[in-house]
Amino acid sequence: MTLKPAILLLVPLALCGCDSKPNPRVETRLNTEATLPATLPYNPLANKVITSAIDHRNATMYTVFGNDTAIAYARTSAGHAYPAGSQLSLVTWNQQEDPRWFGGRIPAAPKSIEFVTINPDGSPTYEAYAGSPLTKIPNLDPIRAHYITTQRAAVMP
């Protein structure tokens, strides 16, 4: 009885490939750096995604979230006049290297969070939080609410 040369090659390779130490780069862990504080008016991550984008120049990424009213409007209308009761939030994160995927980038600490609520008269209420830790900042840019409400919904299956 003779062993095939392929088997003779595979057995030593299999034995050499065994290692009892876990690989720290593959270890599963939650990305706690990207979590949002509980001191916000509401948790944007509890809503659904309208759209997202990456800003390579500033090494940031953002996601626009919306409540059910905003989602229904964003996915069925090309307009920007969200109905009363719509709540949108734009969360911007700094980026960091993904330790589990070479060349991948994942969210790091949140850089800013902006909230837009559409009032019964159709006007928007805007508030923003920025810094580390996130603190409420004055509304210095009146066109930010317009910018957030004009983001086109991503096409989702």
Side-chain angles (χ1 to χ4, degrees), residues 23-112:
N23 183 344
R25 294 186 67 83
V26 179
E27 192 173 302
T28 302
R29 67 175 181 89
L30 294 175
N31 182 5
T32 56
E33 289 180 62
T35 58
L36 304 180
T39 56
L40 298 171
Y42 61 88
N43 183 0
L45 302 180
N47 291 329
K48 296 178 181 153
V49 173
I50 293 177
T51 192
S52 63
I54 296 173
D55 182 351
H56 294 287
R57 184 178 317 146
N58 294 317
T60 60
M61 56 180 47
Y62 75 81
T63 302
V64 177
F65 297 94
N67 65 357
D68 290 337
T69 305
I71 289 292
Y73 180 79
R75 293 187 181 166
T76 59
S77 175
H80 307 297
Y82 280 86
S86 295
Q87 292 180 326
L88 296 103
S89 52
L90 187 146
V91 182
T92 303
W93 288 275
N94 291 308
Q95 289 184 318
Q96 66 181 344
E97 181 182 337
D98 187 343
R100 291 171 280 312
W101 190 268
F102 178 75
R105 308 288 289 166
I106 59 174
K111 184 175 180 176
S112 65

Side-chain angles (χ1 to χ4, degrees), residues 2 15-16 20 23-24 26 29-30 34 75-76 81 104 109 111 115 123 141-142 147:
T2 62
L15 293 175
C16 292
S20 62
N23 183 344
V26 179
R29 67 175 181 89
L30 294 175
R75 293 187 181 166
T76 59
K111 184 175 180 176
F115 295 98
S123 66
D141 190 354
Y147 173 77

